[in-house]
């Protein structure tokens, strides 16, 4: 049964055009082809990425956060109450008005006290600002060097300037060392993001992030095995170019360089809309959808690869809506963070306590300043 399954999995018509077999892609003198077994290197690379990330965040991003005075908000802990804790963990993090009244009867607490407890309890589970700063710094640095590596691997290649050259001689296209390392590092990075999803800042688009990482790894794996490496490197470089600007804008925003962050975010929006919603569908998907059939009949891999690219395009459209909302905040008000983040709620009682202390400590003038006058 396993042998039959293996034969179906590696059936040549799934991966390769008609009249091409795996034997045609065996290494010969002067020609080296990508092999499925080489993808195993992505897992140890991912583990190395996690170690490098830990070192980076501990010894580079954290001192940078200290230098820019990126500080976590002071949070008042929720009072110990097993009944409310059980409701929070098993039923709802944000109780309805009916739930609040019911809990008031069970605990003999006021509605206000119940609401403050749930607000503080939710804040306890939210990631701190320094954690978000360190994560954004790591991703910004990786995307910068990945994009730089991608440009170095592509700038002198004819298919970078003429997309029809992507399919010249396909699938008998020799793999270059730069392509090998570019693929393994990118796959290692996205695998490390999947491994660390439960520990990273959980955003509103968590499910979409999982779909994106899985779709990206599936695309990279398939394009590697089926020798779609040329178009694969272009797709990766295209995506990295916008991600650098997004993560850089986050870093500057967390550091309270709001004007610079907003300017970089506007540049990011222009880059995102141009690369993800124009170049990606009208150049790259057109390249994978139209040009191949001029050279060989469509096969399963042709359809599968294009469907996965369309899945990425759908995610781009989803994120374009979120980005448009963030852009409106930049233009008409101000952007205080990532619109996808589960932002910390203001503890109004704590604010009152701080203002009360200021009024007693510093007199009326301090009270006026605390009130915003």
């Amino acid at each position: 049964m396993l042998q039959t399954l293996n034969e179906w999995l590696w059936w040549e018509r799934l991966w390769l055009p008609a009249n091409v077999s795996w034997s045609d892609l065996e290494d010969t003198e002067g020609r080296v082809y990508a092999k499925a077994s080489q993808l195993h290197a992505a897992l140890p690379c991912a583990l190395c990425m996690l170690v490098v990330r830990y070192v980076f965040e501990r010894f580079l991003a954290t001192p940078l956060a200290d230098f820019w005075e990126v500080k976590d908000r002071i949070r008042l802990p929720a009072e110990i109450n097993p009944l409310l804790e059980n409701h929070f963990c098993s039923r709802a993090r944000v109780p309805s008005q009916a739930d609040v009244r019911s809990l008031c009867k069970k605990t003999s607490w006021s509605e206000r006290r119940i609401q403050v407890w749930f607000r503080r309890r939710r804040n306890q589970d939210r990631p701190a600002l320094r954690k978000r700063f360190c994560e954004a710094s790591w991703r910004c640095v990786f995307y910068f060097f990945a994009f730089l590596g991608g440009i170095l691997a592509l700038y002198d290649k004819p298919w970078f300037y003429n997309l029809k050259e992507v399919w010249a001689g396909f699938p008998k296209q020799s793999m270059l060392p730069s392509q090998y390392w570019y693929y393994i590092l990118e796959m290692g990075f996205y695998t490390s993001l999947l491994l660390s999803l439960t520990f990273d800042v959980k955003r509103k688009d968590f499910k979409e992030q999982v779909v994106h990482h899985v779709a990206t790894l599936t695309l990279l794996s398939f394009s590697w095995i089926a020798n779609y490496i040329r178009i694969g490197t272009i797709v990766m470089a295209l995506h990295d170019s916008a991600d650098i600007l997004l993560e850089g804008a986050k870093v500057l925003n967390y550091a309270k360089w709001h004007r610079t962050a907003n300017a970089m975010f506007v540049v990011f929006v222009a880059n995102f809309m141009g690369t993800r919603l124009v170049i990606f569908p009208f150049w790259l998907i057109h390249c994978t959808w139209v040009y191949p059939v001029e050279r060989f009949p469509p096969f399963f891999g042709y359809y599968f690869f294009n469907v996965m690219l369309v899945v990425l395009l759908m995610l781009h459209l989803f994120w374009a809506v979120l980005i448009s909302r963030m852009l409106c905040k930049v233009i008409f008000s101000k952007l205080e963070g990532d619109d996808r983040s589960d932002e910390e709620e203001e503890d109004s009682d704590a604010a009152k306590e701080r203002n009360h202390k200021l009024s007693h400590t510093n007199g009326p003038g301090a009270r006026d300043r605390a009130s915003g006058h």
Side-chain angles (χ1 to χ4, degrees), residues 172-224:
K172 300 177 183 179
Q173 297 170 337
S174 183
M175 178 186 66
L176 304 173
S178 59
Q179 294 172 328
Y180 172 83
W181 287 110
Y182 191 28
Y183 257 79
I184 295 301
L185 288 173
E186 288 274 359
M187 292 191 69
F189 176 72
Y190 283 105
T191 303
S192 72
L193 290 184
L194 273 180
L195 295 175
S196 63
L197 271 175
T198 54
F199 307 104
D200 290 344
V201 174
K202 192 170 183 179
R203 305 186 186 280
K204 296 174 186 177
D205 62 346
F206 176 80
K207 293 179 181 178
E208 288 79 10
Q209 284 287 331
V210 174
V211 172
H212 174 267
H213 298 340
V214 171
T216 300
L217 287 170
T218 303
L219 263 173
L220 292 178
S221 300
F222 177 83
S223 63
W224 180 265

Side-chain angles (χ1 to χ4, degrees), residues 230-290:
R230 290 183 179 179
I231 190 64
T233 53
I234 296 175
V235 170
M236 288 189 290
L238 184 81
H239 282 68
D240 289 341
S241 65
D243 290 333
I244 302 169
L245 297 168
L246 175 61
E247 301 301 335
K250 289 182 190 177
V251 170
L252 294 173
N253 192 59
Y254 296 147
K256 295 183 173 58
W257 290 34
H258 296 306
R259 290 186 178 180
T260 308
N262 289 345
M264 182 175 287
F265 181 75
V266 171
V267 176
F268 157 74
V269 173
N271 182 295
F272 184 94
M273 299 302 179
T275 57
R276 305 286 181 93
L277 300 184
V278 179
I279 296 177
F280 183 68
F282 296 108
W283 270 264
L284 300 190
I285 293 182
H286 179 268
C287 170
T288 60
W289 196 273
V290 176

Side-chain angles (χ1 to χ4, degrees), residues 18-118:
N19 302 321
V20 179
S21 64
W22 293 117
S23 59
D24 295 325
L25 301 181
E26 292 180 358
D27 293 350
T28 58
E29 187 175 352
R31 299 186 71 86
V32 178
Y33 297 102
K35 303 173 184 62
S37 59
Q38 294 169 323
L39 294 177
H40 296 155
L43 183 57
C45 181
L47 298 177
C48 290
M49 285 280 184
L50 291 175
V51 174
V52 172
R53 172 181 171 176
Y54 173 80
V55 173
F56 174 87
E57 292 186 359
R58 179 74 180 275
F59 298 104
L60 290 176
T62 299
L64 185 61
D66 293 334
F67 178 77
W68 277 341
E69 298 183 347
V70 179
K71 298 178 181 179
D72 296 331
R73 285 177 125 182
I74 297 175
R75 297 173 176 173
L76 294 178
E79 300 175 62
I80 298 175
N81 189 309
L83 182 65
L84 296 182
E85 184 69 26
N86 180 63
H87 186 96
F88 181 88
C89 295
S90 60
R91 296 190 62 183
R93 292 167 58 90
V94 182
S96 65
Q97 191 61 33
D99 288 337
V100 171
R101 293 194 188 99
S102 174
L103 292 169
C104 286
K105 295 177 181 178
K106 294 177 181 178
T107 61
S108 300
W109 286 12
S110 67
E111 289 189 14
R112 177 64 179 170
R113 191 176 177 185
I114 295 288
Q115 291 167 346
V116 169
W117 187 94
F118 273 94

Side-chain angles (χ1 to χ4, degrees), residues 72 75 122-132 135 199-203 341-344:
D72 296 331
R75 297 173 176 173
R122 288 192 295 272
N123 281 340
Q124 285 179 207
D125 287 351
R126 290 188 171 96
L129 183 64
R130 287 170 68 92
K131 178 177 174 61
R132 285 183 279 170
E135 285 188 13
F199 307 104
D200 290 344
V201 174
K202 192 170 183 179
R203 305 186 186 280
S341 299
D342 189 11
E343 293 293 343
E344 186 165 344

Side-chain angles (χ1 to χ4, degrees), residues 11-18 20-22 25 170-171 225-226 299 301:
W11 184 36
E12 290 164 342
R13 295 290 70 79
L14 289 177
W15 301 89
L16 304 172
V20 179
S21 64
W22 293 117
L25 301 181
F170 178 84
I225 297 170
F299 60 105

